């Protein structure tokens, strides 16, 4: 139980109707979860407007309403607080309710198009190996030291973030590593958090269904760095053309990492094999179990963060060498018949290019590369032909299939992909609507030593069709299909 006036600290209030001197149980922005003496925050979403549910929230026992405009009917005994931005208000309310847990843990946010999950997850892994209690807020899962919780969004809502940060503090976690999505920044979910550091990975074509232009997408990412304090650090990939942009207005300590440019943290790839990478990081060689130039960037960022957070450089390199790949990120199996199957989350053009380039670097060219790829429904449509063009031009065979069609017609999605295939690559492509059948076809087409890439879903263990999630695990399915072919 909290006093309403206490949890309104730093909330930009425009008007108040009623008293703030009341005791509240908890905060909710979903009217269905309201119980007696709760605060209801009315948020305008893309699909629904919380202001339409104020009456329902009051019928369930809400004692206070935070809104951007007062309802036409004012109920006696209820406190109404008008704010300019309900999302921002929720961020401060949540932080205050949980007594600002981000101020009691060393929080680092990772943002960019690709690499967020890998960097955040491997930082969690590295600091665990170093003997610390650690928290993780990622697309794949939420970790409170050893306890695992299911993740539903890349960046959870403000209430969820603060609830888990509070739990981490209670469990004695010293660090938390968090993915920061453009949606999360735009919707002010990270507004009231104190970050000790921020990492920028890269910026490429993604989420243009949500952000109208690439410039808007970039500027939302930049806003995260603009919000960092002078006591924080901002570590950016200076090889990316947008890397310097992220540092333009930040008050934080400015740091860079790169493979090609002069930087504070510099790496060189000495060897790139299926078994790992030999890197030279700031004049010290280290063998790591991850592969590909994109992972060289990820590992360099991880090394930089570790050093900035106080881990001795030699120890940071040793811990780097022990890291294991993240679920659904270039996970591979080799069948008894010597067919290599790789499962990767690559669902953007840039990520797909990176994975295919990595495979190109480690293959002998005597084998064929078969790529299975789809594009998600209800998401950025402009990348569909681009993804198909990349897959068909950089593979020996490309199979277009369903990803998570969601509420869209999967046939339409594939037709939009096919428009990107250049005439000389038509014969290399085939479209198979059923994803399991597409993977099965890839396995049947593969000969010993061939490589199958299954891109787009990675760690996901479901396929979403018309609002229903069906069990579907790329890695499990390709493993079983290859075992059956071996028999």
């Amino acid at each position: 139980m909290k006093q309403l006036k206490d949890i309104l600290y730093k909330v930009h209030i425009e008007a108040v109707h009623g008293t703030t001197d009341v005791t509240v149980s908890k905060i909710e922005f979903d009217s269905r979860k309201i119980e007696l003496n709760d605060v209801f925050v009315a948020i305008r979403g893309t699909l629904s407007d919380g202001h339409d549910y104020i009456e329902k929230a009051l019928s369930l026992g809400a004692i206070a309403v935070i809104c951007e405009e007062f309802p036409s009917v004012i109920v006696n005994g209820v406190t109404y607080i008008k704010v300019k931005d309900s999302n921002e208000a929720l961020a401060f309310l949540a932080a205050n309710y949980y007594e600002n847990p981000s101020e009691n843990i060393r929080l680092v946010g990772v943002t960019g198009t690709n690499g967020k999950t890998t960097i955040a997850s491997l930082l969690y892994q590295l600091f665990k190996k170093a003997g610390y209690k650690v928290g993780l807020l990622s697309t794949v899962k939420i970790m409170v030291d050893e306890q695992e919780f299911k993740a539903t969004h890349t960046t959870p809502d403000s209430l969820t973030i603060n609830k888990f940060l509070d739990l981490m503090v209670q469990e004695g976690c010293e660090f938390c590593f968090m993915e920061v999505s453009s949606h999360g920044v735009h919707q002010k979910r990270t507004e009231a958090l104190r970050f000790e550091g921020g990492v920028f990975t890269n910026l490429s074509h993604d989420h243009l269904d949500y952000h109208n232009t690439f410039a808007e997408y970039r500027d939302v990412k930049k806003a995260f760095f603009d919000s960092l304090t002078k006591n924080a650090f901002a570590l950016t990939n200076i090889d990316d053309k947008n890397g310097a942009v992220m540092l333009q207005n930040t008050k934080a300590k400015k740091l860079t990492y790169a493979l090609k440019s002069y930087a504070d943290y510099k790496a060189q790839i000495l060897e790139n094999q299926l078994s790992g990478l030999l890197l030279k990081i700031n004049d010290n060689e280290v063998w790591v179990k991850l592969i590909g130039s994109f992972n060289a960037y990820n590992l360099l960022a991880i090394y930089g963060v570790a050093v900035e957070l106080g881990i001795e450089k030699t120890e940071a390199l040793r811990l780097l060498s022990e890291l294991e790949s993240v679920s659904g990120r270039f996970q591979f199996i080799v069948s008894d018949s010597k067919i290599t199957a790789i499962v990767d989350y690559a669902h953007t053009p840039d990520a797909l290019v990176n994975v295919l380039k990595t495979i190109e670097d480690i293959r002998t060219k005597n084998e064929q590369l078969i790529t299975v790829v789809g594009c998600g429904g209800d998401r950025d449509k402009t990348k569909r032909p681009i993804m198909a063009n990349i897959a068909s031009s950089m593979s020996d065979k490309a199979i277009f299939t369903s990803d998570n069609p969601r509420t869209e017609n999967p046939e339409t999605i594939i037709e939009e992909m096919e428009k990107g295939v250049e005439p000389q690559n038509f014969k290399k492509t085939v479209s198979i609507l059923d994803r399991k059948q597409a993977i099965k076809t890839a396995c049947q087409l593969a000969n010993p030593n061939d490589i199958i890439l299954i891109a787009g879903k990675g760690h996901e263990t479901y396929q979403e069709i018309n609002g229903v999630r069906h069990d579907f695990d790329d890695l499990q399915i390709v493993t079983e299909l290859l075992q059956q072919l071996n028999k």
Side-chain angles (χ1 to χ4, degrees):
M1 304 287 273
K2 304 277 182 179
Q3 287 293 110
L4 179 59
K5 62 185 179 184
D6 293 335
I7 64 172
L8 287 168
Y9 179 60
K10 290 189 177 179
V11 174
H12 297 110
I13 298 170
E14 294 190 338
V16 178
H17 189 286
T19 178
T20 61
D21 197 17
V22 292
T23 302
V24 299
S25 296
K26 61 183 188 339
I27 306 161
E28 294 289 357
F29 60 91
D30 183 340
S31 60
R32 295 166 297 186
K33 296 179 180 178
I34 289 289
E35 295 175 329
L36 190 64
N37 295 332
D38 284 353
V39 179
F40 176 62
V41 184
I43 290 177
R44 299 187 198 278
T46 51
L47 299 176
S48 63
D49 185 347
H51 292 74
D52 297 336
Y53 299 92
I54 290 174
E55 191 176 332
K56 181 185 176 183
L58 295 179
S59 72
L60 292 171
I63 198 171
V65 174
I66 312 291
C67 50
E68 292 176 10
E69 59 180 84
F70 287 143
S72 54
V73 177
I74 299 293
V75 178
N76 286 332
V78 175
T79 303
Y80 297 84
I81 296 171
K82 185 183 175 186
V83 296
K84 185 177 181 181
D85 186 331
S86 293
N87 278 305
E88 182 187 73
L90 178 64
F92 285 109
L93 285 163
N96 292 331
Y97 181 86
Y98 287 103
E99 300 183 355
N100 295 290
S102 67
E103 295 181 5
N104 297 307
I105 195 168
R106 302 179 73 182
L107 179 64
V108 175
V110 185
T111 195
T113 306
N114 303 310
K116 295 188 297 294
T117 302
T118 297
I119 291 173
S121 300
L122 292 183
L123 277 166
Y124 166 84
Q125 198 184 122
L126 185 147
F127 276 77
K128 283 292 292 173
K129 288 178 181 292
Y132 294 100
K133 286 193 168 188
V134 193
L136 171 69
L137 291 165
S138 83
T139 304
V140 179
K141 59 189 173 184
I142 294 170
M143 297 296 297
V144 179
D145 199 33
E146 303 288 352
Q147 298 176 69
E148 183 175 330
F149 301 87
K150 190 177 179 182
T152 55
H153 295 82
T154 302
T155 306
D157 62 80
S158 303
L159 279 173
T160 304
I161 291 170
N162 282 280
K163 177 181 124 182
F164 280 109
L165 286 176
D166 181 49
L167 190 54
M168 290 172 197
V169 171
Q170 289 178 37
E171 292 296 318
C173 294
E174 294 182 55
F175 301 92
C176 175
F177 302 103
M178 173 180 175
E179 290 187 53
V180 177
S181 68
S182 56
H183 292 69
V185 175
H186 189 255
Q187 294 170 13
K188 309 290 177 73
R189 298 180 208 163
T190 57
E191 190 73 17
L193 303 179
R194 188 181 75 180
F195 287 89
E196 183 163 336
V199 179
F200 170 73
T201 62
N202 49 64
L203 209 60
S204 66
H205 197 115
D206 200 16
H207 299 309
L208 298 190
D209 55 315
Y210 181 86
H211 305 287
N212 296 316
T213 64
F214 186 84
E216 183 185 312
Y217 176 46
R218 177 201 63 210
D219 290 346
V220 169
K221 296 284 189 190
K222 180 179 176 295
F224 170 65
F225 291 91
D226 293 350
S227 69
L228 295 175
T229 69
K230 64 179 182 180
N231 297 319
F233 66 83
L235 177 63
T236 189
N237 174 4
I238 204 67
D239 281 346
D240 187 284
K241 62 184 178 183
N242 295 288
V245 176
M246 300 298 144
L247 300 181
Q248 283 175 355
N249 302 107
T250 188
K251 302 180 199 72
K253 177 184 177 183
K254 298 177 181 180
L255 296 161
T256 57
Y257 68 97
L259 295 185
K260 302 170 186 172
S261 316
Y262 175 80
D264 298 292
Y265 295 100
K266 183 88 164 62
Q268 180 184 355
I269 298 174
L270 303 178
E271 289 182 33
N272 184 11
Q273 303 170 12
L274 199 56
S275 55
L277 282 169
L278 180 61
L279 297 176
K280 191 175 187 180
I281 298 180
N282 287 10
D283 298 324
N284 292 294
E285 290 187 11
V286 59
W287 176 264
V288 293
K289 298 173 187 176
L290 282 72
I291 66 173
S293 59
F294 63 97
N295 270 323
Y297 279 105
N298 293 336
L299 289 160
L300 194 51
I302 291 161
Y303 174 76
V305 171
V307 172
E308 293 303 318
L309 291 178
I311 292 185
E312 195 271 326
K313 292 176 182 178
T314 307
E315 176 66 359
L317 288 171
R318 185 188 70 77
L319 293 166
L320 218 59
S321 70
E322 294 181 359
L323 298 179
E324 305 281 349
S325 63
V326 178
S327 174
R329 270 61 177 179
F330 215 95
Q331 273 189 294
F332 67 91
I333 59 159
V334 181
S335 74
D336 292 344
S337 56
K338 304 301 179 196
I339 295 169
T340 300
I342 300 165
V343 170
D344 193 90
Y345 188 52
H347 62 286
T348 67
D350 191 53
L352 187 58
V353 167
N354 284 338
V355 172
L356 288 168
K357 275 185 177 176
T358 297
I359 294 170
E360 185 68 16
D361 289 342
I362 59 178
R363 62 185 288 203
T364 65
K365 315 295 188 293
N366 294 318
E367 68 290 281
Q368 64 173 345
L369 169 59
I370 305 166
T371 297
V372 179
V373 66
C375 290
D378 303 331
R379 297 293 186 270
D380 183 1
K381 295 183 178 183
T382 60
K383 69 182 180 184
R384 292 171 184 173
I386 302 170
M387 296 278 284
N389 177 267
I390 292 165
S392 59
S393 61
M394 296 182 70
S395 311
D396 297 300
K397 288 188 176 70
I399 301 174
F400 303 145
T401 189
S402 297
D403 191 287
N404 290 318
R406 299 184 177 89
T407 63
E408 279 195 74
N409 183 340
E411 290 183 8
T412 303
I413 297 172
I414 291 176
E415 285 168 8
E416 290 176 0
M417 289 179 68
E418 290 171 340
K419 291 175 184 175
V421 180
E422 295 174 7
Q424 69 270 25
N425 294 324
F426 284 156
K427 289 183 178 179
K428 292 161 59 176
T429 68
V430 62
S431 297
I432 301 172
L433 206 59
D434 183 88
R435 191 173 179 90
K436 185 172 182 179
Q437 187 59 46
I439 296 170
K440 185 176 182 179
T441 301
C443 294
Q444 290 169 335
L445 289 172
N447 297 312
N449 300 314
D450 285 352
I451 301 169
I452 300 169
L453 169 64
I454 305 167
K457 288 175 57 59
H459 65 280
E460 293 177 352
T461 55
Y462 62 85
Q463 188 174 31
E464 188 174 333
I465 304 169
N466 290 322
V468 179
R469 289 190 172 187
H470 305 268
D471 289 345
F472 200 100
D473 186 325
D474 282 351
L475 188 65
Q476 181 184 330
I477 286 169
V478 74
T479 302
E480 290 172 357
L481 288 169
L482 288 174
Q483 284 172 348
Q484 289 170 18
L485 284 174
N486 288 335
K487 291 174 184 175

